[in-house]
Amino acid sequence: MRNILITGCSSGIGYDAAATMRRRGWRVFAACRAEEDVARLKSEGFESLRIDYEDPASIETGLAEVLEATGGTLDALFNNGAYAVPGPVEDLPVDALRANFEANVFGWHDLTRRVIPVMREAGRGRIVQCSSVLGFVSLPWRGSYNATKYAVEALSDAMRVELRGTGIHVVLIEPGPIATEFGRNAIKEFERWIDWKSSARRAQYEASLLDRLYTEKPTPFRLPPSAVTAALVQALTSPRPRARYRVTTPTKLMAVAKRVLPTALLDRVIASA
């Protein structure tokens, strides 16, 4: 039985991926950052454990728990847990950016570095990174999340080349709009970090930004988490997985736009979105 460690499994993409891979016969270790979510998943029959990317001790103990259960092997890692701190870059406190990188980049890097020796010894493995369309196209009001996903893309590209010949494949999944709790979680971070009432952009917040953040509106081309899981299955089962799997029409369109449009024109398209 092949085994996989998936992070961010409390809901959304991670939960769907864990449930699907379990149905497909994989031994799934479903990690969450909150103990209550771990307990809930255990009650549903999952092998669940706590990994909080902002807590290095939990990364060490969580992976140790997995390796003890598997006898020291791990076939695949799906780095998935992440969050956004919405707001203009000029209103983004340094501590907010630092915390976002800890959760979305440094924690992933820590866990991945611990997994690579295990896979290297086995001579095989898959490291799948859940990136985003925002990992190659920067949208306004999302600067922090953009920056973390660009970093994940760069690290993954370097690892993919560095691990050639080891049997370890590094794959990026780049979703666009997916129906998850991501937006609601972003509100919590906004309220924690962004002092919009003191911002030079206060009028802009009141005119449009707050409405965009707090009002859930229909998003064209939004897909369910299963669309990401379908890409994950390909990344895990293909003999020669692609470097990138782009999920949703907006991601594919943006990839083309990024390639063919001059920067000034692309900026106009993004600004009007």
Side-chain angles (χ1 to χ4, degrees):
M1 181 183 290
R2 290 170 293 179
N3 53 62
I4 182 171
L5 170 59
I6 303 175
T7 63
C9 291
S10 61
S11 63
I13 291 170
Y15 184 84
D16 187 84
T20 300
M21 297 314 298
R22 185 173 65 168
R23 286 196 302 269
R24 292 179 66 90
W26 285 62
R27 185 177 185 184
V28 176
F29 295 91
C32 306
R33 64 177 178 174
E35 289 287 4
E36 56 267 31
D37 290 322
V38 171
R40 174 171 54 84
L41 263 61
K42 285 182 176 179
S43 73
E44 296 177 19
F46 287 98
E47 293 186 78
S48 187
L49 56 131
R50 180 177 178 268
I51 290 181
D52 179 350
Y53 284 129
E54 295 183 80
D55 177 5
S58 76
I59 296 172
E60 181 178 6
T61 58
L63 180 59
E65 185 176 334
V66 171
L67 296 179
E68 182 178 0
T70 65
T73 66
L74 188 64
D75 296 300
L77 167 65
F78 183 32
N79 276 314
N80 164 67
Y83 65 81
V85 184
V89 171
E90 66 185 284
D91 292 341
L92 184 69
V94 172
D95 284 345
L97 185 62
R98 185 177 289 116
N100 209 189
F101 263 82
E102 193 69 48
N104 293 10
V105 182
F106 302 147
W108 289 34
H109 180 60
D110 186 0
L111 179 57
T112 301
R113 285 190 67 239
R114 294 173 185 275
V115 164
I116 288 174
V118 177
M119 293 182 174
R120 187 188 297 276
E121 185 174 348
R124 55 178 167 66
R126 302 286 167 104
I127 297 169
V128 184
Q129 312 272 62
C130 193
S131 181
S132 170
V133 60
L134 301 185
F136 62 88
V137 174
S138 290
L139 299 187
W141 328 121
R142 301 165 178 84
S144 179
Y145 191 72
N146 281 135
T148 65
K149 289 304 181 183
Y150 266 73
V152 165
E153 295 260 337
L155 286 168
S156 300
D157 282 342
M159 278 196 298
R160 187 182 63 253
V161 177
E162 292 165 356
L163 293 173
R164 283 170 62 90
T166 65
I168 304 171
H169 296 273
V170 180
V171 180
L172 285 156
I173 298 178
E174 298 170 331
I178 300 292
T180 69
E181 298 293 316
F182 189 82
R184 291 190 182 91
N185 293 333
I187 289 173
K188 298 174 187 176
E189 298 301 323
F190 174 82
E191 293 175 347
R192 176 186 179 190
W193 292 110
I194 305 300
D195 181 13
W196 67 269
K197 292 181 180 178
S198 301
S199 171
R201 293 178 174 270
R202 176 169 179 165
Q204 191 174 12
Y205 280 104
E206 293 174 330
S208 63
L209 295 185
L210 294 176
D211 182 62
R212 290 174 60 179
L213 181 63
Y214 284 97
T215 304
E216 189 169 346
K217 299 177 180 177
T219 302
F221 308 109
R222 178 179 287 180
L223 294 178
S226 57
V228 179
T229 302
L232 174 65
V233 170
Q234 293 183 55
L236 294 175
T237 60
S238 173
R240 283 194 290 227
R242 285 186 262 164
R244 284 171 169 80
Y245 291 87
R246 290 179 171 138
V247 182
T248 75
T249 298
T251 300
K252 296 170 184 176
L253 291 177
M254 278 296 183
V256 174
K258 177 85 170 183
R259 188 169 65 249
V260 303
L261 295 182
T263 299
L265 182 54
L266 182 59
D267 284 352
R268 288 173 58 189
V269 170
I270 289 171
S272 63

